[in-house]
Amino acid sequence: MAAEYDLKPAFVKMNAQVTQAIRDRLEWIGVDWISDEDKPEDGKEIRLLDYAAGTGVVSRALGPYVTHTLGVDISPGMVNKFNEHARKAGLDPSRIHAIEGDLCSDPPTVSFTEMPSTNFDIAVVCAGFHHFNDTELATKRLAERLKPGGVLLIMDFLTPSGEDGKVPDEVKHMVKVFGFDEPTMRRLFEGAGLVDFDLWIMPEKVVLEREKDGEMMRREITVFFAKGRKPAA
């Protein structure tokens, strides 16, 4: 999907919605972001880990507010697109780049284990959690990458009300969990040792599309943002 991901109308709209939601809630997220008042000579650094980064939607949304961004994805195609976007924007690879890696393999892939383990002010997974085989392990390993006081932010899909949560057979190869609810997210965050858990539901639904039997199926999905903080001590 990497070559066409940024061109699909449904993804274009969803990415715009997510970008606006993130930027509107910077204060709620709770990171000491870079601002216009901060001078380069002051040496302030804010580091972002964009995991399951895709083509870099979150990295572009938060780019003006951080100094360093590392994208990580298991797909080499997505990693290439991420870095292509960054280079076309004239951004220095020392400030933003993506690597291929798997946080949830056992052990994590070499490229990922070479990263500093307690380096990031914020780690974000945007619409990736429902693809993970082991969300508990993923949450713990992301939390390990945060510095004390760092924030984990997860954006994903709310479990549809009144549905049994069964994943359709035709998407089981890529969708492992059919949405999440607040108690589940709280349990995952607290199980990873994170505190100050909060969850916000985006008022505007997003529309997902997939082709089935030659027809384009459209579905409205409710999106949430969940956050937690690594204790400072």
Side-chain angles (χ1 to χ4, degrees):
M1 293 177 61
E4 299 180 357
Y5 179 85
D6 292 316
L7 303 176
K8 292 182 178 291
F11 288 147
V12 169
K13 183 175 181 180
M14 182 180 75
N15 293 341
Q17 291 172 280
V18 169
T19 295
Q20 192 61 53
I22 289 174
R23 290 181 172 176
D24 286 346
R25 298 189 69 80
L26 290 174
E27 185 174 351
W28 175 80
I29 293 170
V31 173
D32 183 19
W33 307 105
I34 293 294
S35 69
D36 293 339
E37 288 73 35
D38 294 309
K39 303 290 189 290
E41 57 269 24
D42 295 337
K44 180 178 178 180
E45 294 186 344
I46 300 296
R47 297 183 178 272
L48 163 66
L49 171 60
D50 186 355
Y51 187 70
T55 63
V57 174
V58 167
S59 294
R60 293 192 290 275
L62 290 176
Y65 314 106
V66 303
T67 57
H68 297 81
T69 298
L70 178 66
V72 180
D73 202 286
I74 64 171
S75 163
M78 290 293 190
V79 168
N80 289 340
K81 275 294 179 182
F82 182 111
N83 289 327
E84 180 183 311
H85 280 306
R87 301 300 81 80
K88 285 183 176 179
L91 302 174
D92 193 312
S94 67
R95 295 288 180 173
I96 175 171
H97 75 287
I99 61 173
E100 185 181 346
D102 186 354
L103 178 60
C104 299
S105 61
D106 193 13
T109 52
V110 173
S111 59
F112 204 87
T113 56
E114 289 173 347
M115 293 168 42
S117 61
T118 57
N119 193 42
F120 295 96
D121 298 271
I122 178 167
V124 183
V125 181
C126 181
F129 240 46
H130 61 276
H131 294 300
F132 295 172
N133 286 311
D134 191 338
T135 53
E136 183 175 350
L137 177 63
T139 308
K140 289 178 179 178
R141 289 190 172 169
L142 285 163
E144 290 170 358
R145 262 53 189 192
L146 296 171
K147 61 176 59 174
V151 172
L152 175 62
L153 180 69
I154 304 296
M155 172 250 144
D156 217 286
F157 307 136
L158 198 67
T159 303
S161 177
E163 296 195 13
D164 59 10
K166 182 180 179 182
V167 177
D169 290 339
E170 62 268 24
V171 296
K172 280 185 176 179
H173 64 289
M174 61 179 179
V175 176
K176 308 303 180 182
V177 181
F178 199 62
F180 302 86
D181 57 20
E182 182 169 354
T184 297
M185 295 308 299
R186 181 183 294 275
R187 175 181 59 79
L188 289 171
F189 275 60
E190 293 179 351
L194 301 174
V195 298
D196 300 332
F197 174 83
D198 199 7
L199 184 143
W200 174 72
I201 296 174
M202 196 166 80
E204 183 182 10
K205 294 180 183 293
V206 303
V207 176
L208 298 183
E209 296 180 345
R210 64 183 176 88
E211 190 172 339
K212 181 180 180 181
D213 300 327
E215 294 185 16
M216 188 62 69
M217 311 294 290
R218 292 169 54 87
R219 180 169 187 162
E220 290 190 342
I221 301 289
T222 300
V223 165
F224 70 84
F225 289 82
K227 68 167 185 173
R229 185 179 303 279
K230 189 170 186 175

